[in-house]
Amino acid sequence: MEVRIFDTADEIAVACADIFTEIIKNKPDCILGLATGASPVKTYKELIRRYNNGEISFENIRTFNLDEYCDLPRDDKNSYYTFMHENLFNSVNIKEENVHIPDGNAADPEAHAKSYDAMIDAAGGIDIQLLGIGTNGHIGFNEPSDTFSDGTFKVKLTDSTIKSNSIYFDDDSMPRYALTMGINSIMKAKKIVLIATGEAKADAIKATVDGEVTPMCPASVLKNHPDAILLIDKAAAKLL
Ligand code: GLP
């Protein structure tokens, strides 16, 4: 696992967009694994800028998102479907049929999760997976647990995640469950880039980089990946 430390989130966005740009240029029909949350927003802005410059095209790209809340209408302002369209898809030439986000309202979540993984495999696997990290070390919505998860599954969110993410929701309406790619789905990606900024992520980054590989800090599994890069700022790197 490679760790690169930057002064600012803007520099991280450029470095991350550089990695994506190289892959997109080498393989215009690549498969991107995408993430939500505040961490990737600047990277998406930079990719939109490069698309507008004519540097990259999303015409033949297919995307698979990491996760989605359960029991939240797809067009809710807080759904990851809405997030991805507002922060990236509406501003580039991606075809809607090439966009994949787990359906948190699927009648049979288990069957849906299986078919989501099968679709990723049928597409040839993810060329590059973008990740953020939760303050508890979660990736996607893989919460600290006794075992590493396998494929996409329905997860009960922890109190810590509910606390972190409920700032976006009115009242107490934050969903308690989500569908997320599993650790094994994430680890199958050919390349993984994780972004973390700010002091709130320092403990999680310390456990990921210096701690043992343990499902109690899901991101620590990235040490077992042959091509994982952490792009972090000085505040997130504070305890290293
Ligand atoms: C959410 C998402 C994760 C994300 C994490 C951190 O829980 N499911 O994919 O990495 O939050 O979010 P942020 O980047 O806003 O700190």
Side-chain angles (χ1 to χ4, degrees), residues 14-163:
V14 170
C16 190
D18 282 347
I19 296 170
F20 270 74
T21 300
E22 195 188 335
I23 289 176
I24 294 169
K25 281 187 171 167
N26 285 335
K27 190 178 174 192
D29 61 347
C30 62
I31 311 295
L32 304 182
L34 299 178
T36 51
S39 306
V41 169
K42 282 174 184 273
T43 296
Y44 293 151
K45 279 207 171 78
E46 179 62 17
L47 288 173
I48 293 167
R49 196 187 66 77
R50 293 178 191 207
Y51 161 72
N52 286 329
N53 279 349
E55 217 180 313
I56 51 173
S57 167
F58 287 76
E59 196 180 354
N60 296 310
I61 285 177
R62 281 171 288 172
T63 64
F64 288 88
N65 260 79
L66 277 171
D67 47 15
E68 178 61 283
Y69 290 115
C70 290
D71 310 316
L72 193 65
R74 195 176 80 159
D75 58 359
D76 188 277
K77 70 175 168 54
N78 281 310
S79 76
Y80 287 165
Y81 176 90
T82 300
F83 176 97
M84 286 309 303
H85 284 79
E86 283 179 352
N87 285 285
L88 181 64
F89 299 146
N90 290 348
S91 305
V92 296
N93 64 337
I94 193 153
K95 295 178 186 134
E96 189 59 33
E97 68 262 30
N98 287 343
V99 164
H100 303 91
I101 300 174
D103 178 2
N105 294 299
D108 183 346
E110 219 169 280
H112 176 69
K114 273 208 177 80
S115 75
Y116 196 71
D117 287 326
M119 266 194 294
I120 296 174
D121 288 344
I126 289 169
D127 291 297
I128 178 165
Q129 176 66 56
L130 184 57
L131 296 176
I133 185 170
T135 50
N136 62 3
H138 77 216
I139 47 178
F141 268 134
N142 288 274
E143 301 282 31
S145 157
D146 291 339
T147 51
F148 284 118
S149 57
D150 184 13
T152 300
F153 69 109
K154 183 171 177 173
V155 64
K156 185 172 181 1
L157 302 175
T158 60
D159 290 345
S160 133
T161 297
I162 291 167
K163 192 174 161 215

Side-chain angles (χ1 to χ4, degrees), residues 150-213:
D150 184 13
T152 300
F153 69 109
K154 183 171 177 173
V155 64
K156 185 172 181 1
L157 302 175
T158 60
D159 290 345
S160 133
T161 297
I162 291 167
K163 192 174 161 215
S164 304
N165 292 13
S166 53
I167 51 165
Y168 300 109
F169 290 84
D170 303 327
D171 310 324
D172 194 28
S173 64
M174 158 137 182
R176 271 29 182 184
Y177 288 86
L179 280 185
T180 181
M181 277 189 205
I183 291 293
N184 193 35
S185 334
I186 293 170
M187 289 293 277
K188 283 203 284 192
K190 289 161 198 139
K191 188 178 191 82
I192 299 178
V193 180
L194 182 148
I195 293 177
T197 58
E199 217 177 312
K201 303 291 171 70
D203 284 324
I205 289 299
K206 171 79 177 163
T208 301
V209 176
D210 292 337
E212 54 173 339
V213 173

